[in-house]
Amino acid sequence: MPRWGMVFDLKRCIGCNACTIACKQENTTPDRVLWTKTVSEEIGTYPNVTRAYIPLICNHCEDAPCERVCPTKATYTREDGIVMVDENKCIGCGACATACPYKNRYKLHQEQFDRGLYRSGQLTPFEKQGYGRFVAGTTVKCTFCHERVDAGLEPACVITCPTEARIFGDLDNPSSKARRIIQARKGYQPLAQHNTKPKVFYVE
Amino acid sequence: MHSKIYELVGDEFELGYRRQEFWGWKIAFAFFFGEVGAGLFFISAFYSFLLGMVVGWIMVTVFKPAALFMHLGKPLRAWRAIMGLGHSWISRGLLASILFTGFGGIYLLNLYFKILSQPLSTVVFVVAMLACIVVMIYLGFVLSYSPSIPLWESGLMPIISLTYGLLGGVTLVLLFGYQTFLTANPETFKLLKALELGLVIFCAVLLASFLHGAAYASDAGRKSVSCLLKEDLAKWFIPSVILVGMVLTLLLINMAPVSVAVLVAIAVAELIGDVGLKILLFKAAIYQPSLSHSRF
Ligand code: SF4
Ligand code: SF4
């Protein structure tokens, strides 16, 4: 069984947020829900200033605090390491959202599904179809595009990234590209001090 | 610890501290009713003060779930929250609340109708009191159990919950009992007044240690404390939690001659401080940035 993870190459990310759009398109996430995005940070002082772009996503932590605090067991980890939320069990208590140190969870509200994202406010056929997968009042997060992964494909953000700054692969397979990059370039995890053991790594 | 001081950011695509937005006043009130109700039941039980026990039981059994249901996204599935007993303090708290509702209710009925034998009544009482203690402290465990928010990640949290629960209980027993069982027991009245005084001072010391610890735990913790004491939340925290909840309560306990009006004022001041603290603990909760380039 693979153990899926992702690597972000910070040298390659240009902050175009094509990944953000690809994710929204793939998953039909409603207004104000971004399962992945790229934030930026100003580094240095004038006149030697530059901007770094940092992609963020659910880290599918091995020891996920969101799963630990979930009172209903709606949050669970699949055998391949993908952390999921069962929308039929979630009560929308928000405990997982507060417990995620990376703030990578979103609570859905009915009004997010009542209005379309286009100016007219009408739901498009795409939105009508896509919103059917969500349950208002529950909590959602990135799923590593589990349907695509199950079909042998890579997550939408990965195939869309024009600079190949996102590398998806089996962290237990020594010959996977993700694993090799982590080893060769000393990949590090976000907020590693919390011992959540993220399956997302960054390399510089 | 990050070496760079970040700004608080909202939905912008900027790296920075982010505020917790998932828990707010509804869940603060739920825990407030749970803690104060359990505290009132606990203290009243020592004096077999039926009115206090009934009001405390109603707060935990009716008001707390009402506030929680308003918060939940799917309230009709709330029963599912019992499933995570092995790992979730919310589940453990829910179990304790159910036990308290059941055993506390039976105990109250027994006080009135005398339906149980003495040994059985003792068992019911012990279970109700144990559950009552868990109801008082579990918010502290819920908050301290997650590594996400440095302000909350403190071993003092459960003690703060317990102390505020007991303080609320003593305050309301003084108020409700003043013209009932305490009239005939001036010694008990004095004892409860002294207990109230001690608990307010203990709360002040606890809060000072808690804020001090958070400020030195991490930059995000320092930012939370700064929000509470100097920045946007200071205009709420200092007047409600410190001035009204502690200073005014202490002055009223010590200085004013006792009357119903003064006891009402003490209760209002103390409970404002308590509920204010709970709401502000949620508002001041800040996440660290997920990554920081300035580390490298
Ligand atoms: S990043 Fe957050 S939501 Fe994702 S698995 Fe870790 S704790 Fe859970
Ligand atoms: S919001 Fe849902 S997934 Fe999150 S802790 Fe509550 S029940 Fe679990």
Side-chain angles (χ1 to χ4, degrees), chain B residues 243-296:
Chain B
L243 295 180
V244 174
M246 288 176 176
V247 178
L248 183 63
T249 307
L250 275 180
L251 288 176
L252 288 170
I253 298 169
N254 274 313
M255 290 184 166
V258 176
S259 67
V260 174
V262 168
L263 289 172
V264 169
I266 291 174
V268 170
E270 193 279 309
L271 297 179
I272 283 176
D274 188 353
V275 84
L277 177 66
K278 286 185 175 60
I279 292 173
L280 289 165
L281 277 180
F282 291 140
K283 289 229 170 284
I286 286 171
Y287 297 92
Q288 281 172 261
S290 293
L291 206 66
S292 160
H293 266 207
S294 51
R295 292 161 60 199
F296 301 96

Side-chain angles (χ1 to χ4, degrees), chain B residues 112-189:
Chain B
Y112 204 75
F113 295 110
K114 306 266 180 264
I115 41 180
L116 300 178
S117 63
Q118 184 55 40
L120 205 55
S121 146
T122 308
V123 171
V124 168
F125 177 71
V126 170
V127 176
M129 291 299 261
L130 288 176
C132 187
I133 293 171
V134 178
V135 173
M136 261 190 283
I137 60 173
Y138 87 91
L139 170 66
F141 282 110
V142 168
L143 296 188
S144 67
Y145 193 56
S146 76
S148 53
I149 293 163
L151 180 70
W152 295 352
E153 201 190 7
S154 162
L156 290 177
M157 272 290 183
I159 308 174
I160 292 176
S161 286
L162 180 68
T163 313
Y164 266 99
L166 291 174
L167 177 59
V170 172
T171 306
L172 292 181
V173 169
L174 278 171
L175 176 63
F176 297 146
Y178 181 58
Q179 285 186 332
T180 52
F181 84 104
L182 290 174
T183 319
N185 299 287
E187 286 310 309
T188 307
F189 187 77

Side-chain angles (χ1 to χ4, degrees), chain A residues 13-83:
Chain A
C13 180
I14 53 171
C16 66
N17 271 304
C19 48
T20 312
I21 304 299
C23 174
K24 284 199 82 68
Q25 194 269 339
E26 173 69 26
N27 296 295
T28 350
T29 51
D31 193 17
R32 285 170 280 127
V33 176
L34 301 174
W35 284 353
T36 189
K37 64 181 172 188
T38 305
V39 297
S40 70
E41 179 186 9
E42 196 174 281
I43 297 175
T45 46
Y46 180 82
N48 298 316
V49 190
T50 184
R51 204 155 253 284
Y53 295 97
I54 304 159
L56 300 175
I57 197 169
C58 165
N59 300 294
H60 295 271
C61 308
E62 298 266 20
D63 190 0
C66 59
E67 185 175 359
R68 236 185 296 149
V69 300
C70 177
T72 61
K73 295 192 176 168
T75 296
Y76 64 99
T77 306
R78 300 195 336 172
E79 268 185 43
D80 58 4
I82 299 179
V83 178

Side-chain angles (χ1 to χ4, degrees), chain A residues 173-190:
Chain A
N173 181 353
S175 60
S176 75
K177 191 175 173 196
R179 171 79 176 260
R180 279 188 284 120
I181 289 179
I182 293 167
Q183 274 174 342
R185 293 172 60 190
K186 297 195 173 62
Y188 56 89
Q189 295 154 303

